[in-house]
Amino acid sequence: MPVFEPEPAPRAAPTLAPLGEPAGDLALAIRGLTKHFGSVTAVDGVDLDVPRGCFYGFVGPNGAGKTTTLAMVTGLLRPDSGTVLIDGADVWTDPATAKSSLGVLPDRLRLFDRLTGTEFLHHAGALHGLDRATVARRAADLVQAFGLESASRRFVSDFSAGMVKKIAIAAAMIHSPRLLVLDEPFESVDPVSAQLVIDVLKKFAQVGGTVLLSSHSMDLIERVCDNVAIIAEGRLLAAGPMSEVLDGTTLEDRFVELAGGATAVEGMEWLQSFSD
Ligand SMILES: Nc1ncnc2c1ncn2[C@@H]1O[C@H](COP(=O)(O)OP(=O)(O)OP(=O)(O)O)[C@@H](O)[C@H]1O
């Protein structure tokens, strides 16, 4: 199917390239990315290499800086400092080139919800300059792949939260990008639909596409991704091939060990005194 066919690219060695000059086999290279909101440092000097063809998970506790990082990576939020190269093109100095190879599912996406599912996909394809016949063919492929056949003629405003996620991911893929950046793609998505989405994304990665996604589901990230980055308080604590980051433990254990969070609930004895 044409939708899942980015230019085949060699699968990169499963190690992080030495930080410095980004290597040429990277789908995404982030250097020194920093963002402050007033006195809060949301993202603090993040360096990350995402090799082509990999399925990269991005995890961290609430408020760790995941959404802020992904927003800067995709050109939605201007960094205070740092650079982002997508397929070698700088998101901020060469946005047209960088964004032509990028598909995005942003956080809290607002859709044009008075369009039907199919119209929405056509709109996304047209924005990327695809001709009508190509858009129609790809939209039909995507509707089928994401199990949205019965929804394709309904208004997006009538979609469930999970269906909205699926149509938004489909729209992010319609121009056959090289890199997909998905912020919480499985939030509100039931397990059967999540598996459907994972299958589509795996197919995309198998033919040389690259996926970077954030999620709070450690099981899912461990099962699906071949690389993972753990962020807390705006700093990257670990990044690289899953087996190296886990080092024999589970992702959940590694996450708690690095990012904290397994604290006992103390000082809430009143909770056991019940109002009656
Ligand atoms: N627009 C904003 N204005 C002020 N502070 C912000 C803004 N966006 C994010 N922050 C702050 O930046 C920090 C990182 O937030 P961010 O949303 O990136 O975290 P996250 O890892 O995506 O969290 P979650 O898992 O809860 O979605 C938090 O302290 C947050 O309060």
Side-chain angles (χ1 to χ4, degrees):
M1 291 188 293
V3 176
F4 312 123
E5 287 173 4
E7 284 295 302
R11 187 172 280 262
T15 51
L16 280 178
L19 293 172
E21 282 301 300
D25 57 356
L26 297 176
L28 172 66
I30 303 173
R31 293 291 180 275
L33 205 58
T34 300
K35 183 74 187 180
H36 303 277
F37 294 110
S39 60
V40 174
T41 303
V43 176
D44 193 2
V46 164
D47 296 317
L48 184 70
D49 284 343
V50 177
R52 288 205 181 105
C54 81
F55 215 123
Y56 216 114
F58 193 40
V59 300
N62 289 131
K66 300 181 296 296
T67 292
T68 306
T69 301
L70 297 184
M72 290 191 284
V73 162
T74 53
L76 295 169
L77 180 68
R78 189 173 284 279
D80 291 341
S81 57
T83 56
V84 176
L85 300 185
I86 294 175
D87 227 13
D90 190 305
V91 170
W92 290 100
T93 59
D94 187 8
T97 308
K99 289 178 183 178
S100 66
S101 17
L102 177 67
V104 188
L105 174 75
D107 180 46
R108 288 180 226 156
L109 179 65
R110 297 280 311 271
L111 304 183
F112 295 108
D113 59 5
R114 296 308 286 174
L115 299 178
T116 65
T118 300
E119 286 168 350
F120 182 71
L121 292 177
H122 276 253
H123 170 258
L127 281 182
H128 284 287
L130 300 179
D131 63 71
R132 198 176 274 267
T134 304
V135 173
R137 204 171 58 244
R138 293 184 180 191
D141 283 348
L142 287 164
V143 161
Q144 188 188 20
F146 284 92
L148 288 167
E149 292 94 336
S150 61
S152 61
R153 288 173 203 278
R154 288 164 56 194
F155 286 131
V156 171
S157 58
D158 298 339
F159 281 19
S160 70
M163 288 156 68
V164 167
K165 282 275 183 195
K166 288 199 282 181
I167 199 80
I169 298 170
M173 298 181 79
I174 198 156
H175 60 300
S176 197
R178 287 175 177 273
L179 172 67
L180 267 178
V181 177
L182 309 173
D183 196 354
E184 288 284 346
F186 303 110
E187 190 186 50
S188 313
V189 177
D190 73 72
V192 174
S193 296
Q195 192 54 52
L196 209 66
V197 174
I198 289 166
D199 290 344
V200 175
L201 296 178
K202 277 187 165 166
K203 197 177 281 186
F204 171 73
Q206 273 162 14
V207 293
T210 308
V211 182
L212 172 63
L213 62 88
S214 75
S215 174
H216 287 116
S217 172
M218 298 298 134
D219 286 349
L220 187 142
I221 293 278
E222 187 175 343
R223 186 164 51 84
V224 166
C225 296
D226 45 40
N227 280 256
V228 68
I230 302 177
I231 187 172
E233 297 179 356
R235 290 171 177 253
L236 268 201
L237 304 179
M242 186 68 76
S243 56
E244 285 179 23
V245 171
L246 298 195
D247 196 21
T249 70
T250 65
L251 181 56
E252 182 147 0
D253 286 348
R254 194 81 177 106
F255 179 92
V256 170
E257 182 191 326
L258 290 172
T263 51
V265 180
E266 290 175 356
M268 291 183 67
E269 291 76 13
W270 55 266
L271 200 56
Q272 296 163 30
S273 64
F274 306 114
S275 51
D276 59 350

